[in-house]
């Protein structure tokens, strides 16, 4: 925390800490404020003098907490926090610089509510900073996303209506383990009882969510991002199998998780997975791997690799 803040500003920050983390000890509060424990207790005293009931308890489970019925003042942002908020919104939602955008409208309300000394720079940043749109980003329905997140938090199985890439719809009961945002796309990581396996569903393709009476327990020590990455390369319509002559340790750094699972095979290794777009798999993924390989399957990927090879061979030919 900056050292030039006034006692009032530090007291307000102390209030924010106690609001977010009930049971904060004097030592923890001091660390967050960047002051001594004695100074932290002084800021708690300032809050009490202002009529804010701050309760304290001794013992291993003690600490400071706000009393019931506490009416909190408006949220206070430092200039760095306000600028960081605007930057994060624009980075994740380039259209938020448009006042007609849903998130842009919300951001505008936040900026207008800021004090002039803080809001001026945030407004300038929003007005003059430009963000290139991500062509791969897809925005799911906020209501559907909220229902899925609520089910994740409650550990409650849900029934979803899902629309596949080809436009076909189906119903599935799933245990929602996590909602993961990856490269501008929102995914539901879940166990599908319809498939009897882990599935990664695009949240923007979920048409409806209905709660059930069944509870579930997610896997212990679940790493949602790692499991999502591992399963993105499975379950697509076109199977893939690529054999490399190089050792797995050398090939592994060049393999992205959505390409499939890389396994040892003799003196080399084999990449087994699936894809919905064989041409993209060949052009954007396999073409950049600097090792000799042989595509054993499937036929669609073999055809895509052959077409790509013919194009490059023709590009290097002396014939017009």
């Amino acid at each position: 925390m900056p050292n030039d803040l006034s006692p009032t500003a530090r007291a307000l920050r102390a209030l924010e800490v106690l609001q977010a983390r009930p049971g904060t000890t004097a030592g923890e509060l001091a660390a967050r404020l960047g002051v001594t424990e004695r100074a932290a207790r002084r800021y708690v005293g300032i809050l009490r003098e202002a009529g804010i009931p701050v309760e304290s308890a001794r013992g291993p489970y003690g600490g400071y907490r706000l009393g019931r019925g506490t009416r909190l003042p408006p949220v206070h942002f430092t200039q760095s926090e306000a600028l960081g908020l605007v930057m994060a919104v624009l980075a994740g939602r380039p259209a938020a610089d448009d006042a007609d955008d849903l998130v842009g409208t919300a951001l505008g309300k936040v900026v207008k509510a800021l004090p002039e000394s803080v809001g001026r720079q945030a407004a300038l940043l929003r007005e003059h900073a430009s963000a290139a749109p991500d062509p791969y980003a897809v925005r799911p329905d906020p209501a559907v996303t909220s229902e899925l997140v609520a089910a994740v938090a409650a550990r409650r199985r849900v029934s979803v209506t899902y629309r596949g890439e080809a436009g076909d719809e189906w119903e599935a009961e799933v245990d929602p383990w996590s909602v993961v945002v990856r490269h501008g796309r929102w995914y539901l990581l879940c166990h599908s009882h319809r498939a009897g396996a882990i599935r990664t569903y695009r949240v923007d393709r979920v048409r409806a969510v209905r709660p059930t009476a069944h509870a579930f327990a997610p896997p212990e020590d679940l790493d949602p991002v790692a499991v999502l990455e591992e399963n993105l390369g499975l379950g697509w319509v076109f199977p893939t199998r690529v054999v490399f002559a190089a050792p797995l340790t050398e090939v592994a750094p060049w393999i992205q998780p959505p390409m499939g699972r890389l396994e040892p095979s003799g003196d080399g290794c084999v990449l087994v997975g699936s894809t919905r777009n064989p041409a993209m798999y060949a052009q954007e993924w396999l073409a950049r791997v600097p090792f000799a390989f042989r595509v054993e399957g499937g036929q669609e990927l073999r055809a895509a690799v052959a077409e790509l090879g013919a194009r490059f061979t023709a590009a290097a030919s002396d014939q017009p």
Side-chain angles (χ1 to χ4, degrees), residues 45-54 70-71:
I46 292 176
L47 294 177
R48 288 169 171 163
E49 290 175 2
I52 298 175
V54 181
T70 303
R71 297 185 60 186

Side-chain angles (χ1 to χ4, degrees), residues 1 4-16 33 43 46 76 78:
M1 177 175 291
D4 57 350
L5 291 183
S6 67
T8 301
R10 289 189 185 275
L12 289 174
R13 293 306 297 271
L15 179 59
E16 291 179 1
L33 297 178
Y43 294 126
I46 292 176
H76 170 73
T78 66

Side-chain angles (χ1 to χ4, degrees), residues 203-295:
V203 177
D204 59 288
R205 293 179 181 163
V206 176
R207 317 314 297 172
V209 181
R210 292 169 296 281
T212 73
H214 303 288
F216 72 90
E220 294 185 6
D221 301 323
L222 174 68
D223 184 338
V225 175
V227 176
L228 177 81
E229 293 279 2
E230 181 180 352
N231 283 273
L232 278 178
L234 303 176
W236 296 107
V237 63
F238 301 115
T240 61
R241 181 180 175 86
V242 183
V243 177
F244 296 90
L248 183 146
T249 54
E250 296 182 14
V251 177
W254 297 89
I255 303 301
Q256 303 178 49
M259 294 173 70
R261 285 197 180 96
L262 190 63
E263 303 169 350
S265 178
D267 294 332
C269 55
V270 59
L271 177 64
V272 180
S274 62
T275 181
R276 66 179 179 86
N277 190 335
M280 180 277 296
Y281 196 104
Q283 296 172 18
E284 298 185 15
W285 289 349
L286 284 183
R288 63 185 292 271
V289 180
F291 300 100
F293 60 84
R294 184 179 70 261
V295 179

Side-chain angles (χ1 to χ4, degrees), residues 62-217:
Y64 294 114
R65 66 183 67 245
L66 299 178
R68 291 188 176 183
T70 303
R71 297 185 60 186
L72 299 178
V75 177
H76 170 73
F77 289 100
T78 66
Q79 187 172 92
S80 296
E81 289 173 337
L83 294 177
L85 177 62
V86 174
M87 292 171 67
V89 171
L90 292 179
R93 180 93 169 200
D97 60 354
D98 184 351
D100 294 329
D101 179 78
L102 177 66
V103 177
T105 302
L107 180 62
K109 292 179 180 179
V110 172
V111 171
K112 288 181 180 178
L114 295 173
E116 174 66 19
S117 59
V118 175
R120 186 188 313 111
Q121 292 298 322
L124 288 174
L125 176 61
R126 184 193 180 199
E127 180 180 356
H128 295 288
S130 300
D134 183 350
Y136 302 105
V138 181
R139 306 300 173 191
D141 185 321
V144 169
T145 307
S146 177
E147 290 181 86
L148 291 175
V149 171
V152 170
R155 298 187 173 184
R156 183 70 58 183
R157 185 184 304 174
V158 294
S159 175
V160 299
T161 302
Y162 192 77
R163 177 177 295 172
E165 187 176 9
D168 54 322
E169 290 191 1
W170 66 83
E171 305 284 331
E173 282 199 0
V174 302
D175 295 340
W177 291 350
S178 182
V179 172
V180 182
V181 184
R182 180 184 183 275
H183 301 327
R185 289 183 175 176
W186 293 65
Y187 294 91
L188 172 65
L189 176 65
C190 63
H191 174 80
S192 169
H193 293 271
R194 179 177 184 267
I198 298 174
R199 285 292 182 262
T200 54
Y201 292 145
R202 289 259 301 271
V203 177
D204 59 288
R205 293 179 181 163
V206 176
R207 317 314 297 172
V209 181
R210 292 169 296 281
T212 73
H214 303 288
F216 72 90

